[in-house]
Amino acid sequence: MMKNYVKDRYELAAQTLSKKLERRNFEVIICQDLEAAKKSALRMIASDKTVGFGGSITVEKSGLIEALYQRGQQMIDREKTETPEERHRVMKQALTADYFLTSINGISEDGQLVNVDSVGNRVAALTYGPDKVLAFVSMRKVYGDVETTLEMVRKNTAPLNAHRLGLEKTPCIKKGNCGDCLQPECICNTIVITRRSMVKNRLAIFLLLEDVGL
C-alpha cells in the first residue's frame, strides 16, 4: 500500500506538471487511482462511438475495457482476432477509431511525452488518427529532463516489458538491460517524443496518484 506522504508528494507534483502539460495543449485529468480514472474516462467516451486500444497493463488493470464492453461500446479489439493477418488488419483499423486508449512510458518534468514501441501501432495512434486519445500514466513515470526520461524508459520500462512478453532473444532478457539491439524481437523499434499536441485537448493525460504499470 502506498504511504500517505508519497501520495501527497505525487499530488503536489501532479498539480505542477498539469500546468506544463496544459501549456503544451494536452488535457489533464488528475486521478487518485485507477478506479477514478476509469469512471472519468467512461464519462468522457460517447457511448455511440468506436474505441480502439493498444497494449497497456495500466489500461487493462483499470477495468475500463470491460466496462466499455458491458455498456455495449463498439470496440476495435485485436485480442478478439484468430490469425496474424486479421490481427494486423484490426490494429490498422484501430487507428481510425473515435477514441484510442493507451498509456505513456514516461513524462519529462517539463511535460513532454516519451514512448517506445515495438510494432508502432500505439505511438501511431498517439501522434495521428483517432480524434481523441486517452492515456493513463502513473506519476512515478515522471523522471526528469527528456534525456533522463528516455534513458529510464529504455533501461527500465523496455526490459520489464520484454520479460512480460517473453522476448527471450533480446539483451533485455539475456542481460536484464537494454543493449540497443537490432534483434527481430526488439521492443524499441520506434521512439517518439511528443512535445506538444497540434490539436488542443486531443490527448487526454490521466495522471494517476498511485504506482501502476511498468
Side-chain angles (χ1 to χ4, degrees), residues 13-80:
Q15 294 291 346
T16 300
L17 179 62
S18 66
K19 295 181 177 63
K20 298 176 181 179
L21 289 166
E22 287 168 353
R23 283 201 294 268
R24 295 178 182 274
N25 273 354
F26 302 123
E27 182 178 4
V28 181
I29 303 95
I30 299 174
C31 303
Q32 290 293 319
D33 51 32
L34 274 174
E35 180 64 21
K38 180 186 76 172
K39 291 179 179 178
S40 181
L42 283 170
R43 290 192 295 268
M44 185 180 294
I45 298 171
S47 60
D48 61 341
K49 301 296 184 179
T50 58
V51 178
F53 53 91
S56 167
I57 290 178
T58 307
V59 173
E60 290 173 8
K61 286 187 175 180
S62 73
L64 175 57
I65 295 172
E66 291 86 347
L68 288 168
Y69 267 116
Q70 288 173 5
R71 77 175 190 183
Q73 198 83 35
Q74 184 180 347
M75 305 293 287
I76 303 173
D77 189 347
R78 65 183 183 181
E79 302 305 325
K80 301 293 185 182

Side-chain angles (χ1 to χ4, degrees), residues 122-162:
R122 181 172 60 88
V123 295
L126 188 73
T127 58
Y128 187 80
D131 292 334
K132 187 78 172 183
V133 176
L134 282 61
F136 288 12
V137 57
S138 169
M139 279 299 298
R140 74 176 178 86
K141 292 190 177 183
V142 181
Y143 295 117
D145 60 19
V146 170
E147 290 75 17
T148 300
T149 302
L150 179 56
E151 182 178 19
M152 290 297 293
V153 171
R154 294 289 304 278
K155 291 187 175 182
N156 184 55
T157 307
L160 287 172
N161 273 312

Side-chain angles (χ1 to χ4, degrees), residues 145-184:
D145 60 19
V146 170
E147 290 75 17
T148 300
T149 302
L150 179 56
E151 182 178 19
M152 290 297 293
V153 171
R154 294 289 304 278
K155 291 187 175 182
N156 184 55
T157 307
L160 287 172
N161 273 312
H163 277 271
R164 176 176 66 88
L165 297 171
L167 307 181
E168 297 179 355
K169 296 181 180 180
T170 63
C172 284
I173 285 187
K174 290 182 176 180
K175 299 181 179 180
N177 293 299
C178 173
D180 196 31
C181 76
L182 299 176
Q183 295 293 329

Side-chain angles (χ1 to χ4, degrees), residues 174-194:
K174 290 182 176 180
K175 299 181 179 180
N177 293 299
C178 173
D180 196 31
C181 76
L182 299 176
Q183 295 293 329
E185 290 185 334
C186 176
I187 204 169
C188 300
N189 292 311
T190 301
I191 298 172
V192 171
I193 296 173
T194 309

